[in-house]
Amino acid sequence: MKEHKKIIEILDSKYKTYLEDEGKWLNEGFRNIFVEGEASRENLKTPVYLMLPEEIREYVDQLLSDNIS
């Protein structure tokens, strides 16, 4: 469960400027692209994820792939 929070923290940190400007609609940051804030491919909110810029979606995919045990 710790790694789930780390993924969200990585995204919030890396894309801080995005969240402050265009990403204000995410309110609580990247926690909002996952069901109950649990960062995993199964919990990904697809409609919300698809609203992100392609660069960010690719990075999310990379983080989730790297997290597979």
Side-chain angles (χ1 to χ4, degrees), residues 1-41:
M1 205 162 315
K2 194 176 199 178
E3 59 277 349
H4 297 300
K5 289 184 181 180
K6 185 173 181 172
I7 288 174
I8 294 168
E9 289 171 7
I10 291 168
L11 290 166
D12 285 345
S13 175
K14 181 173 177 77
Y15 295 106
K16 182 179 181 182
T17 303
Y18 172 79
L19 290 172
E20 292 171 352
D21 297 333
E22 307 123 70
K24 289 181 181 175
W25 58 275
L26 284 169
N27 296 332
E28 297 175 30
F30 286 95
R31 181 181 193 283
N32 283 329
I33 69 168
F34 300 102
V35 175
E36 296 181 18
E38 293 292 322
S40 69
R41 188 149 322 271

Side-chain angles (χ1 to χ4, degrees), residues 4 13 18-19 25 27-29 42-43 46 49 51 55 60 68:
H4 297 300
S13 175
Y18 172 79
L19 290 172
W25 58 275
N27 296 332
E28 297 175 30
E42 298 79 29
N43 288 344
T46 304
Y49 164 81
M51 292 169 51
E55 171 194 340
V60 168
I68 296 173

